[in-house]
Amino acid sequence: MPHYEVVIIGSGFAGLCMGARLKQAGIHDFLILEKDKEFGGTWRVNQYPGCACDVPSHLYSFSFLQNPEWTRKYAPQRELLAYTVKAAQDLGLMPHLRLDTALLSAEYDEAAGAWRLHTSRGEMIAKHLVTGMGALGRPKLPTLPGLESFQGKTFHSQQWDHGYDLQGKRVAVIGTGASAIQFVPEIAPKLAQLDLYQRTPPWILPRPDRAISKAERWLLRHFSISRWAYRALNYVRNEWRYIAFGKQPALMRATQKLALAYMHKHIRDPELRRKLTPDYTMGCKRILLVNDYYQTLTRSNVAVLGNGIREVRAHSVIDGDGQERAVDAIIFATGFDLEQALGPLELKGRGGLSLQQASRDGLDAYKGTTLPGFPNFYMIAGPNTGLGHNSMIYMIESGVNYILQAIQMTQLQRIKSLEVKADAAGEYNRQIQQKLKGTVWNSGCKSWYLNSRGKNLTLWPGFTFEYRRIMKKFDADQYHARFD
Ligand code: NAP
């Protein structure tokens, strides 16, 4: 049976970052498994019209592979995907990628000090198992009365059917989150009618996007100091916002005023303004950055419906007011199921402890990375490492740095297994939940940051440099080390 030092699950930014850092450290005995036929993570999977990153690209990219060629401040999906492909090539990761290979289950073999993996292409052994699967991989679909009887087209924003011609169609879009606000302006001009079902209005600010000029690109290409300086500028611009998100949510009031002024500038109809005005503190849900959404909502072929869906029929949707609205297609922009983020992964740790058992109240991971009962198992960007204010790539690099040190330590000291102590994980999570109490994310709105029991297992309650600091040095004293 093939045996690897490290097996990484997922080939997005997280998986590629782990692979790159392993190679830099001289560890070449690893695989990156990707369940799909192509690699690239979220920026390959999400291909809806208008898909782009709402974090500046010069920051939303690896620090060790900066890209001077971004054509816009906020790069479109195709550029992000191209960057990912080039990164895999330039960093020598292609021979390590195994596409169309899903991890089905894995169990920890205590005697061997390794994981036995069952993949869709056979079995393998990994001394260290690292997941880089991302939290936003499993689409969440609403349960709507009568949906099964609908005869038209349906798809989720993440599974966009580009073969379906939207020209002249009547379409219901459900959801007004980060994905919907990007594709609604793109598709509305093509449609005969767009019915936008909004459950909660988002807070919206203009996206300060712009083209990066040829001269700027030349500068960034030839002077690494300009790349670092621009990256640092973007980092600081985003990072200081944590003061409002995490420490003083009352500061959001000033930005709320700006957002309302922006909305009023584009929306004249008082009834539509009322519908689009959020009633929760800005930041509690993700703040959305977009320049053409409000304008689109004033089009004569667009209706914003705020009273929900009563029923779906074969060729129509009955809205919350009981009005029947004929539609050819329903597009779900209803987000992702975070509680199922690790999906159907059957992971059995020490003593047969399953991931499901260990995560009954959500995963109490240590530093979002390791779990008691799961030796030699690491998560990149796991629980409570998500951000509402800065670049996830920074968090990914921080986590990967920590995991790399753990792996190197097992090699150097001939350690059979490393497992985080349960009391270390427990105390860490107690502190995290305590810190979250004063943040805007726990200020009372319902969001995907909170699980079904209202616990925030998604976001990092701190400045990102604080996470980097705790991940800088692998703290072996918080781990049980077992030797042969
Ligand atoms: P989302 O932000 O979770 O938005 C889902 C939308 O669907 C919300 O408006 C939600 O309403 C609505 N919804 C969910 N279930 C519903 C139901 N049963 N009935 C009616 N409405 C329902 O999902 P997303 O837009 O796909 O974005 C997910 C995350 O992906 C983002 O927050 C962001 O982190 C990431 N993303 C990032 C970018 C980027 O530019 N970097 C772009 C797209 C996505 P409620 O608000 O009432 O729940």
Side-chain angles (χ1 to χ4, degrees):
M1 194 183 305
H3 184 293
Y4 299 93
E5 181 68 8
V6 185
V7 170
I8 303 160
I9 315 299
S11 66
F13 269 98
L16 298 181
C17 183
M18 187 76 239
R21 298 284 281 118
L22 284 169
K23 276 190 100 71
Q24 283 166 4
I27 301 171
H28 300 280
D29 182 18
F30 69 91
L31 279 189
I32 303 175
L33 306 187
E34 170 54 60
K35 67 177 173 17
D36 295 333
K37 290 191 170 66
E38 292 168 83
F39 72 96
T42 194
W43 299 107
R44 187 188 52 72
V45 181
N46 283 285
Q47 300 210 358
Y48 57 78
C51 184
C53 189
D54 61 8
V55 177
S57 315
H58 295 88
L59 179 62
Y60 191 90
S61 41
F62 294 131
S63 62
F64 51 85
L65 194 70
Q66 294 184 31
N67 176 20
E69 310 300 341
W70 298 116
T71 60
R72 302 201 65 81
K73 183 169 176 192
Y74 295 88
Q77 169 268 339
R78 58 165 199 288
E79 268 189 53
L80 285 151
L81 179 58
Y83 170 81
T84 318
V85 172
K86 192 166 181 311
Q89 288 164 348
D90 291 357
L91 296 165
L93 297 173
M94 299 306 276
H96 299 271
L97 282 163
R98 292 290 177 279
L99 304 180
D100 203 11
T101 309
L103 177 64
L104 305 173
S105 64
E107 66 259 352
Y108 184 68
D109 180 341
E110 225 173 319
W115 288 87
R116 181 181 285 259
L117 311 184
H118 308 274
T119 79
S120 54
R121 290 182 176 264
E123 299 202 347
M124 59 182 73
I125 303 279
K127 166 122 189 189
H128 305 277
L129 179 60
V130 181
T131 62
M133 295 158 66
L136 304 172
R138 301 185 71 77
K140 195 176 67 183
L141 295 172
T143 43
L144 299 172
L147 182 58
E148 65 292 343
S149 65
F150 185 62
Q151 302 286 305
K153 180 81 183 167
T154 60
F155 54 86
H156 186 275
S157 59
Q158 195 219 41
Q159 295 156 344
W160 199 273
D161 186 346
H162 289 277
Y164 181 72
D165 185 7
L166 287 163
Q167 195 66 44
K169 297 285 190 327
R170 296 160 304 178
V171 173
V173 172
I174 304 178
T176 53
S179 303
I181 57 107
Q182 291 187 336
F183 73 74
V184 160
E186 295 291 318
I187 65 170
K190 291 184 189 159
L191 302 176
Q193 175 66 25
L194 192 161
D195 294 338
L196 180 61
Y197 288 88
Q198 170 192 269
R199 191 163 66 178
T200 316
W203 280 106
I204 289 178
L205 285 168
R207 183 165 60 175
D209 195 15
R210 65 176 183 84
I212 305 293
S213 70
K214 277 188 181 164
E216 285 172 305
R217 276 184 265 160
W218 183 88
L219 208 65
L220 292 164
R221 203 177 300 135
H222 290 97
F223 299 96
S224 74
I225 188 154
S226 66
R227 290 197 292 276
W228 280 106
Y230 192 47
R231 191 177 177 91
L233 178 70
N234 279 309
Y235 175 80
V236 172
R237 268 188 192 152
N238 280 357
E239 189 66 356
W240 74 270
R241 298 186 304 156
Y242 179 72
I243 297 169
F245 280 95
K247 301 201 179 284
Q248 293 294 334
L251 291 175
M252 286 291 180
R253 279 193 215 117
T255 321
Q256 285 180 196
K257 280 190 188 146
L258 290 179
L260 289 177
Y262 173 65
M263 190 238 282
H264 286 210
K265 182 174 156 200
H266 293 290
I267 308 282
R268 299 255 166 245
D269 174 10
E271 176 54 18
L272 187 54
R273 278 183 181 175
R274 189 193 58 73
K275 273 189 198 166
L276 297 174
T277 305
D279 65 355
Y280 55 90
T281 309
M282 182 185 243
C284 189
K285 288 166 181 278
R286 192 175 176 90
I287 301 171
L288 307 183
L289 305 181
V290 60
N291 295 329
D292 46 7
Y293 179 69
Y294 284 143
Q295 296 89 317
T296 304
L297 303 190
T298 63
R299 292 176 62 95
S300 57
N301 67 338
V302 175
V304 180
L305 303 159
N307 288 332
I309 292 176
R310 195 175 287 176
E311 186 191 339
V312 178
R313 294 190 181 157
H315 300 286
S316 63
V317 173
I318 314 291
D319 70 21
D321 296 327
Q323 200 188 335
E324 184 163 8
R325 310 179 71 87
V327 287
D328 304 301
I330 302 176
I331 303 176
F332 299 105
T334 40
F336 300 91
D337 190 346
L338 262 76
E339 290 188 59
Q340 299 297 320
L342 291 177
L345 247 198
E346 294 242 352
L347 227 58
K348 289 218 166 108
R350 194 167 44 74
L353 175 74
S354 74
L355 196 61
Q356 280 72 22
Q357 287 167 324
S359 61
R360 228 173 262 136
D361 192 30
L363 284 179
D364 267 351
Y366 182 62
K367 298 186 174 181
T369 307
T370 49
L371 275 177
F374 292 79
N376 296 357
F377 172 68
Y378 305 92
M379 291 174 284
I380 308 169
N384 291 114
T385 61
L387 299 177
H389 74 288
N390 212 334
S391 168
M392 272 311 290
I393 310 305
Y394 186 88
M395 300 300 270
I396 287 172
E397 288 191 13
S398 305
V400 164
N401 178 51
Y402 183 86
I403 297 168
L404 178 65
Q405 289 179 60
I407 293 170
Q408 285 176 313
M409 190 178 132
T410 59
Q411 291 189 329
L412 275 169
Q413 300 185 21
R414 297 184 176 277
I415 294 170
K416 192 173 191 175
S417 70
L418 276 176
E419 178 186 339
V420 69
K421 293 174 183 167
D423 53 356
E427 176 56 18
Y428 175 81
N429 281 288
R430 197 193 57 70
Q431 286 177 20
I432 288 283
Q433 291 304 321
Q434 186 61 32
K435 273 188 93 176
L436 277 162
K437 279 187 185 150
T439 66
V440 71
W441 306 302
N442 285 33
S443 65
C445 75
K446 262 181 105 178
S447 77
W448 62 262
Y449 298 151
L450 310 179
N451 70 10
S452 49
R453 290 169 297 282
K455 191 170 174 185
N456 190 335
L457 289 164
T458 311
L459 292 171
W460 165 247
F463 290 102
T464 59
F465 57 78
E466 291 177 304
Y467 187 65
R468 175 135 310 178
R469 195 167 62 220
I470 66 163
M471 301 304 271
K472 195 167 179 204
K473 195 165 177 312
F474 182 70
D475 42 358
D477 55 329
Q478 303 298 323
Y479 287 76
H480 296 294
R482 293 192 175 83
F483 295 83
D484 274 325

